[in-house]
Amino acid sequence: HAALQRRWWHDPDARLNKYDKPAVTGTKYALVRQHVPVVLLANIRGVGKKGQIVNVKRGYARHHLVPKGLAVFGTWENIDCHADPAL
């Protein structure tokens, strides 16, 4: 029984009919989600408060929030460390 290999773009939650985008240009089968969960590390106007888990566009998270240290991706480890249970 061969192990199933996961690619870097593999996103099991992505669906073709939910406005998700192709990970590789021109394909209909390798999709990534358009919105991703992030945990905010600072209050950001129009997005949320510090410690809140919010869904933002993938590019906004990758190119603006995470590199500037304003948020971290919403993995279980980051949620345990940074998320505020009261929010």
Side-chain angles (χ1 to χ4, degrees), residues 22-82:
V24 180
T25 305
T27 184
K28 295 185 209 174
Y29 305 106
L31 301 170
V32 291
R33 286 182 300 167
Q34 189 173 14
H35 291 81
V36 294
V38 295
V39 180
L40 299 178
L41 301 178
N43 292 337
I44 302 172
R45 181 181 296 183
V47 178
K49 297 181 179 181
K50 180 179 178 179
Q52 190 174 7
I53 302 169
V54 295
N55 283 323
V56 295
K57 290 261 191 152
R58 178 180 289 275
Y60 184 54
R62 286 185 60 219
H63 300 296
H64 182 73
L65 295 177
V66 174
K68 291 185 178 180
L70 300 174
V72 291
F73 284 106
T75 62
W76 291 114
E77 295 84 9
N78 289 337
I79 290 172
D80 289 341
C81 291
H82 302 289

